[in-house]
Amino acid sequence: MSSFIYQLNNYKFKKIGLQTWEYENYWFQAEKKHLLTNIKRRRNKSLKKDFNQETYYYWVEEELRSQRDLNDTLKLEIKKLKERQDDMTNGIASLKEYLENSEAESRKLLCFLAKKVKQVAIKHGMKCGAEDKIESSSKSSGKTKMDDFSSIKQVHVIALKPEIERGSG
Protein backbone atom coordinates (compact mmCIF):
# COMPACT_ATOMS: atom_id res chain seq x y z
CA MET A 1 0.00 0.00 0.00
CA SER A 2 2.82 2.41 0.80
CA SER A 3 4.35 1.77 -2.63
CA PHE A 4 1.01 2.54 -4.27
CA ILE A 5 0.68 5.79 -2.29
CA TYR A 6 4.25 6.68 -3.28
CA GLN A 7 3.26 6.25 -6.94
CA LEU A 8 0.16 8.40 -6.43
CA ASN A 9 2.37 11.13 -5.02
CA ASN A 10 4.78 10.79 -7.95
CA TYR A 11 1.87 11.47 -10.33
CA LYS A 12 0.71 14.50 -8.29
CA PHE A 13 -2.32 12.91 -6.69
CA LYS A 14 -3.17 14.65 -3.43
CA LYS A 15 -4.89 13.17 -0.40
CA ILE A 16 -8.41 14.54 0.08
CA GLY A 17 -9.31 13.69 3.68
CA LEU A 18 -7.47 12.96 6.90
CA GLN A 19 -9.12 9.62 7.74
CA THR A 20 -9.96 8.29 4.25
CA TRP A 21 -7.73 6.75 1.60
CA GLU A 22 -8.97 9.10 -1.12
CA TYR A 23 -6.70 10.90 -3.54
CA GLU A 24 -7.45 13.34 -6.34
CA ASN A 25 -5.84 14.79 -9.41
CA TYR A 26 -7.57 17.39 -11.56
CA TRP A 27 -6.69 15.52 -14.75
CA PHE A 28 -8.24 12.27 -13.49
CA GLN A 29 -12.00 12.67 -14.20
CA ALA A 30 -14.74 10.21 -15.06
CA GLU A 31 -15.76 10.08 -18.74
CA LYS A 32 -12.89 12.41 -19.75
CA LYS A 33 -10.15 10.16 -21.07
CA HIS A 34 -8.61 12.97 -23.09
CA LEU A 35 -7.45 14.63 -19.84
CA LEU A 36 -5.34 11.63 -18.79
CA THR A 37 -2.53 12.69 -21.12
CA ASN A 38 -1.91 15.64 -18.80
CA ILE A 39 -0.97 13.41 -15.87
CA LYS A 40 2.83 13.41 -15.78
CA ARG A 41 5.28 11.75 -13.46
CA ARG A 42 7.39 14.09 -11.40
CA ARG A 43 10.74 14.72 -13.03
CA ASN A 44 12.68 14.71 -9.79
CA LYS A 45 13.12 10.98 -9.13
CA SER A 46 13.71 11.30 -5.41
CA LEU A 47 11.59 13.36 -3.11
CA LYS A 48 14.14 15.40 -1.23
CA LYS A 49 13.54 16.24 2.38
CA ASP A 50 15.50 19.47 2.22
CA PHE A 51 13.82 22.47 0.71
CA ASN A 52 16.10 24.81 -1.18
CA GLN A 53 15.47 27.68 -3.55
CA GLU A 54 16.26 25.68 -6.70
CA THR A 55 13.70 23.02 -5.78
CA TYR A 56 11.17 25.71 -4.98
CA TYR A 57 11.57 27.33 -8.40
CA TYR A 58 11.35 23.96 -10.07
CA TRP A 59 8.03 23.20 -8.37
CA VAL A 60 6.70 26.69 -9.06
CA GLU A 61 7.53 26.31 -12.76
CA GLU A 62 5.97 22.86 -12.76
CA GLU A 63 2.81 24.20 -11.12
CA LEU A 64 2.72 27.13 -13.55
CA ARG A 65 2.99 24.73 -16.50
CA SER A 66 0.25 22.61 -15.02
CA GLN A 67 -2.01 25.64 -14.54
CA ARG A 68 -1.36 26.81 -18.11
CA ASP A 69 -2.28 23.36 -19.42
CA LEU A 70 -5.41 23.41 -17.30
CA ASN A 71 -6.26 26.89 -18.57
CA ASP A 72 -5.78 25.80 -22.20
CA THR A 73 -7.92 22.73 -21.66
CA LEU A 74 -10.68 24.77 -20.02
CA LYS A 75 -10.57 27.34 -22.83
CA LEU A 76 -10.92 24.54 -25.37
CA GLU A 77 -13.86 23.05 -23.48
CA ILE A 78 -15.54 26.47 -23.24
CA LYS A 79 -15.05 26.98 -26.98
CA LYS A 80 -16.63 23.59 -27.72
CA LEU A 81 -19.54 24.33 -25.40
CA LYS A 82 -20.12 27.71 -27.08
CA GLU A 83 -20.12 26.01 -30.49
CA ARG A 84 -22.66 23.46 -29.23
CA GLN A 85 -24.77 26.27 -27.80
CA ASP A 86 -24.68 28.13 -31.15
CA ASP A 87 -25.63 24.92 -32.98
CA MET A 88 -28.53 24.36 -30.60
CA THR A 89 -29.68 27.99 -30.96
CA ASN A 90 -29.61 27.67 -34.75
CA GLY A 91 -31.45 24.34 -34.54
CA ILE A 92 -34.15 25.86 -32.35
CA ALA A 93 -34.55 28.80 -34.74
CA SER A 94 -34.84 26.41 -37.70
CA LEU A 95 -37.37 24.28 -35.87
CA LYS A 96 -39.41 27.36 -34.91
CA GLU A 97 -39.43 28.55 -38.52
CA TYR A 98 -40.45 25.08 -39.72
CA LEU A 99 -43.30 24.94 -37.19
CA GLU A 100 -44.53 28.42 -38.17
CA ASN A 101 -44.49 27.44 -41.85
CA SER A 102 -46.29 24.19 -41.11
CA GLU A 103 -48.90 26.04 -39.09
CA ALA A 104 -49.43 28.56 -41.91
CA GLU A 105 -49.76 25.76 -44.46
CA SER A 106 -52.23 23.91 -42.24
CA ARG A 107 -54.25 27.11 -41.81
CA LYS A 108 -54.28 27.67 -45.59
CA LEU A 109 -55.38 24.09 -46.19
CA LEU A 110 -58.13 24.37 -43.60
CA CYS A 111 -59.38 27.64 -45.15
CA PHE A 112 -59.34 26.06 -48.60
CA LEU A 113 -61.30 23.05 -47.37
CA ALA A 114 -63.79 25.27 -45.54
CA LYS A 115 -64.36 27.33 -48.71
CA LYS A 116 -64.82 24.20 -50.82
CA VAL A 117 -67.26 22.72 -48.30
CA LYS A 118 -69.16 26.00 -48.28
CA GLN A 119 -69.26 26.05 -52.10
CA VAL A 120 -70.53 22.48 -52.19
CA ALA A 121 -73.17 23.32 -49.59
CA ILE A 122 -74.29 26.36 -51.58
CA LYS A 123 -74.45 24.36 -54.84
CA HIS A 124 -76.30 21.61 -53.06
CA GLY A 125 -78.69 24.22 -51.64
CA MET A 126 -79.39 25.66 -55.12
CA LYS A 127 -80.03 22.28 -56.70
CA CYS A 128 -82.30 21.21 -53.91
CA GLY A 129 -84.03 24.58 -53.42
CA ALA A 130 -87.44 23.27 -54.47
CA GLU A 131 -87.03 20.13 -52.44
CA ASP A 132 -86.08 22.24 -49.39
CA LYS A 133 -89.42 24.08 -49.58
CA ILE A 134 -91.27 20.78 -49.54
CA GLU A 135 -89.10 19.39 -46.76
CA SER A 136 -89.26 22.60 -44.72
CA SER A 137 -92.58 21.45 -43.34
CA SER A 138 -90.69 18.58 -41.73
CA LYS A 139 -88.94 20.02 -38.67
CA SER A 140 -86.28 17.33 -38.41
CA SER A 141 -84.92 17.60 -41.97
CA GLY A 142 -84.72 21.39 -41.80
CA LYS A 143 -82.92 21.16 -38.51
CA THR A 144 -80.36 18.72 -39.96
CA LYS A 145 -79.56 20.98 -42.93
CA MET A 146 -79.23 23.95 -40.60
CA ASP A 147 -76.85 21.96 -38.36
CA ASP A 148 -74.73 21.06 -41.42
CA PHE A 149 -74.50 24.69 -42.48
CA SER A 150 -73.63 25.92 -38.97
CA SER A 151 -70.89 23.28 -38.62
CA ILE A 152 -69.38 24.42 -41.93
CA LYS A 153 -69.51 27.99 -40.69
CA GLN A 154 -67.75 26.96 -37.46
CA VAL A 155 -64.96 25.25 -39.41
CA HIS A 156 -64.51 28.43 -41.47
CA VAL A 157 -64.40 30.61 -38.34
CA ILE A 158 -61.84 28.31 -36.71
CA ALA A 159 -59.68 28.38 -39.84
CA LEU A 160 -59.70 32.18 -39.96
CA LYS A 161 -59.32 32.75 -36.22
CA PRO A 162 -55.46 32.62 -36.04
CA GLU A 163 -55.21 35.12 -38.93
CA ILE A 164 -57.62 37.48 -37.19
CA GLU A 165 -55.71 37.19 -33.89
CA ARG A 166 -52.40 37.71 -35.63
CA GLY A 167 -53.70 40.79 -37.44
CA SER A 168 -54.97 42.40 -34.24
CA GLY A 169 -51.87 41.44 -32.15
Side-chain angles (χ1 to χ4, degrees), residues 9-142:
N9 289 327
N10 278 336
Y11 285 95
K12 298 181 186 176
F13 280 81
K14 295 178 183 170
K15 191 169 183 178
I16 296 173
L18 296 174
Q19 299 295 327
T20 60
W21 294 94
E22 293 182 50
Y23 287 81
E24 72 175 354
N25 185 320
Y26 175 79
W27 303 111
F28 189 75
Q29 296 180 19
E31 305 296 325
K32 295 185 180 180
K33 291 183 180 180
H34 63 282
L35 296 177
L36 293 176
T37 58
N38 295 316
I39 298 177
K40 306 274 191 239
R41 185 178 175 101
R42 290 185 185 174
R43 292 190 179 137
N44 191 357
K45 292 185 180 180
S46 64
L47 297 174
K48 295 182 180 179
K49 298 285 181 187
D50 61 330
F51 186 78
N52 59 29
Q53 192 173 7
E54 187 177 309
T55 307
Y56 174 75
Y57 286 127
Y58 170 78
W59 291 114
V60 168
E61 287 177 3
E62 189 68 29
E63 183 65 25
L64 185 60
R65 244 183 262 122
S66 174
Q67 291 299 321
R68 283 184 184 147
D69 290 344
L70 173 62
N71 191 24
D72 292 342
T73 302
L74 292 174
K75 283 180 181 179
L76 185 63
E77 284 186 40
I78 288 171
K79 182 179 177 183
K80 287 178 183 178
L81 288 171
K82 283 182 179 180
E83 289 173 358
R84 283 184 58 199
Q85 182 182 16
D86 290 343
D87 290 344
M88 292 174 117
T89 302
N90 292 337
I92 289 170
S94 297
L95 182 60
K96 185 177 179 182
E97 182 181 343
Y98 172 78
L99 289 174
E100 288 173 354
N101 290 338
S102 296
E103 185 180 318
E105 289 296 319
S106 297
R107 202 178 303 102
K108 286 179 187 177
L109 183 60
L110 194 55
C111 287
F112 174 77
L113 290 173
K115 287 176 185 176
K116 291 301 177 185
V117 168
K118 188 176 180 180
Q119 288 174 357
V120 169
I122 290 172
K123 285 182 182 179
H124 183 68
M126 288 180 179
K127 289 180 183 178
C128 301
E131 294 172 11
D132 285 345
K133 289 180 183 176
I134 297 170
E135 291 180 10
S136 65
S137 60
S138 169
K139 293 180 183 177
S140 63
S141 64

